[in-house]
Amino acid sequence: PETITVQELANRMSERAVDVVRLLMKQGVMKKINELIDADTAQLIAEELGHTVKRVAESDVEEGLFDVADVEGEAVPRPPVVTIMGHVDHGKTSLLDAIRHTAVVKGEAGGITQHIGAYQVTSPLGGKITFIDTPGHAAFTAMRQRGARATDIVVLVVAADDGVMPQTAEAINHARAAGVPIIVAINKIDKPDAKPDKVRSELLQYEIQVESLGGETLEVEVSAKEKLNLDKLLEIIQLQSEILDLKANPDRPAEGIVIEAKLDRGRGPVATVLVQRGTLKQSDIVVAGSEWGRVRALIDDQGDTVPEAGPSTPVEILGFNGAPEAGDRLAVVENEARAREIADYRTRQKREQAAARATVRVSGLEEMMS
Ligand code: GDP
Ligand code: MG
């Protein structure tokens, strides 16, 4: 049901909250400033105070965002988006760095690559692959909580000298819950105490049966340190991606997800976004969470300014009015007024939810003290 806190209603009318409380009392409604009242009561109070009321349902405000399905005929193949997950110290960062470094050596990336939270490389089979380069579990969870699916494939890194550990199991559960296929990368095979076969049999307990044991899960033995079998890993990722038959329509306004965002001293709010559908262009008006802006510049994973970014492309956006949150979904809207309306609406919602949580905490305290 639609609700609003007393404080928020007062704010929107530029009235004092105590006056709203008093008026509510007159109507026989006893509410504290941070408590919620329903929309009908709110309207009554507002009109009582001489305000005109325009009720906007969530469905109206958010309408048109994220609901345009890709028409089958227009969808074209897109690169897979890959997240590397696994237990701490099993080599996630090393593997991401090694893959990126290999691309740099091949001349794909221009010299010093800047870190934007995601990057794209070309597999030896010729297809592009997008890696999300942020701490796996946290980002993955944040995105899933917001109902966004940012990953097509999880590469599960398991150190051959350590085996399956708690966060390995956690990663398996995350991937399963999200319905994302797993590729097993058995890392650190350069180590003398590496026991890749032990890893394989341990994974059976989690119902992961790798190919060499007659199962379906693709696997590869790698060494991030010695840069062994990295090409093979990329090939397997591309194979898995071809099985998934990933497609998106590039000819529509962009939709995507915020991978990370920060407030940069010189450049203002900077958001790294993964475009998922459509094509993001310079001058587009974007909304993400409760922030919006006009795209002033798009910067790719090599630090180059680009005019546009298509499906599965990670790109930095300059031009937001504030930094959105990791996991926020991004959409392009038709004009600034619409962007502002959506952002304002979400800001209010956030504030109301926070106020409602505070109320629960306060009343909880009162019960404890009574
Ligand atoms: P993360 O916590 O999963 O990101 O793991 P890191 O990438 O930080 O690696 C943890 C440690 O393992 C570091 O000291 C790495 O140098 C080391 N390491 C990572 N990959 C390999 C590998 O293939 N072989 C060896 N011998 N050491 C590795
Ligand atoms: Mg790490």
Side-chain angles (χ1 to χ4, degrees):
E2 298 168 76
T3 52
I4 186 169
T5 63
V6 172
Q7 180 70 65
E8 184 56 38
L9 178 63
N11 289 351
R12 277 193 237 171
M13 300 184 297
S14 305
E15 301 280 355
R16 295 191 317 163
V18 282
D19 294 335
V20 176
V21 171
R22 214 167 280 148
L23 241 156
L24 278 165
M25 247 186 236
K26 265 201 208 162
Q27 313 278 344
V29 183
M30 311 300 281
K31 290 283 178 189
K32 291 181 197 128
I33 281 172
N34 58 1
E35 283 183 326
L36 289 166
I37 54 177
D38 64 66
D40 289 337
T41 310
Q43 177 158 4
L44 205 77
I45 296 296
E47 282 166 357
E48 196 81 3
L49 287 165
H51 295 272
T52 18
V53 176
K54 186 176 146 227
R55 269 159 78 168
V56 188
E58 167 161 22
S59 52
D60 295 340
V61 177
E62 306 263 359
E63 200 185 343
L65 289 179
F66 312 119
D67 69 347
V68 192
D70 275 339
V71 181
E72 187 72 38
E74 295 172 334
V76 298
R78 64 168 178 85
V81 179
V82 179
T83 303
I84 296 191
M85 295 173 98
H87 195 70
V88 64
D89 283 347
H90 279 198
K92 299 178 292 297
T93 304
S94 304
L95 199 53
L96 278 162
D97 288 350
I99 292 166
R100 187 207 295 260
H101 180 75
T102 309
V104 173
V105 170
K106 279 185 191 155
E108 275 185 48
I112 315 146
T113 43
Q114 59 154 10
H115 175 98
I116 72 162
Y119 63 80
Q120 222 170 37
V121 298
T122 307
S123 106
L125 301 175
K128 286 202 156 109
I129 300 171
T130 302
F131 284 92
I132 295 192
D133 193 5
T134 46
H137 300 233
F140 201 81
T141 310
M143 289 175 197
R144 277 200 54 222
Q145 276 166 355
R146 289 175 172 80
R149 184 173 155 154
T151 300
D152 301 305
I153 295 166
V154 164
V155 170
L156 182 69
V157 179
V158 191
D161 61 338
D162 202 25
V164 173
M165 297 303 277
Q167 285 166 290
T168 316
E170 202 181 288
I172 293 169
N173 291 335
H174 277 311
R176 282 244 169 87
V180 176
I182 290 171
I183 291 174
V184 174
I186 303 176
N187 190 31
K188 307 200 186 184
I189 50 153
D190 59 284
K191 289 189 114 178
D193 53 347
K195 297 185 186 71
D197 281 333
K198 184 166 160 277
V199 173
R200 291 186 181 91
S201 64
E202 283 174 353
L203 284 170
L204 285 173
Q205 290 172 30
Y206 298 87
E207 283 158 50
I208 292 184
Q209 194 173 12
V210 294
E211 276 195 308
S212 61
L213 294 184
E216 307 249 289
T217 306
L218 301 178
E219 59 171 319
V220 59
E221 288 183 10
V222 296
S223 165
K225 188 178 167 212
E226 303 293 335
K227 298 194 168 55
L228 286 173
N229 276 349
L230 301 185
D231 274 355
K232 195 160 169 232
L233 173 61
L234 297 181
E235 282 181 25
I236 289 176
I237 292 170
Q238 189 175 337
L239 278 176
Q240 178 72 68
S241 132
E242 279 163 14
I243 294 167
L244 294 172
D245 194 26
L246 305 166
K247 287 183 175 167
N249 176 8
D251 300 318
R252 44 157 292 166
E255 272 178 24
I257 184 160
V258 176
I259 293 170
E260 56 183 36
K262 58 175 188 249
L263 210 58
D264 187 282
R265 218 171 253 223
R267 302 185 298 166
V270 181
T272 298
V273 163
L274 173 71
V275 177
Q276 295 178 296
R277 299 197 285 184
T279 299
L280 184 64
K281 302 183 173 115
Q282 211 182 326
S283 298
D284 274 349
I285 296 159
V286 289
V287 193
S290 49
E291 302 296 342
W292 71 277
R294 181 184 285 272
V295 178
R296 194 169 76 231
L298 294 171
I299 298 162
D300 71 9
D301 57 349
Q302 292 160 46
D304 295 326
T305 303
V306 290
E308 56 179 43
S312 297
T313 311
V315 73
E316 263 187 349
I317 297 179
L318 306 191
F320 267 105
N321 297 330
E325 287 174 43
D328 279 343
R329 292 174 77 184
L330 172 122
V332 169
V333 295
E334 57 267 36
N335 55 45
E336 292 195 359
R338 179 103 177 92
R340 201 175 283 125
E341 180 188 22
I342 296 165
D344 285 353
Y345 172 77
R346 289 178 176 165
T347 305
R348 286 199 300 272
Q349 269 207 324
K350 256 197 210 166
R351 228 187 282 148
E352 280 161 25
Q353 279 160 7
R357 277 196 296 274
T359 309
V360 170
R361 273 200 299 276
V362 170
S363 57
L365 262 182
E366 281 167 359
E367 272 160 35
M368 275 163 54
M369 292 188 296
S370 63

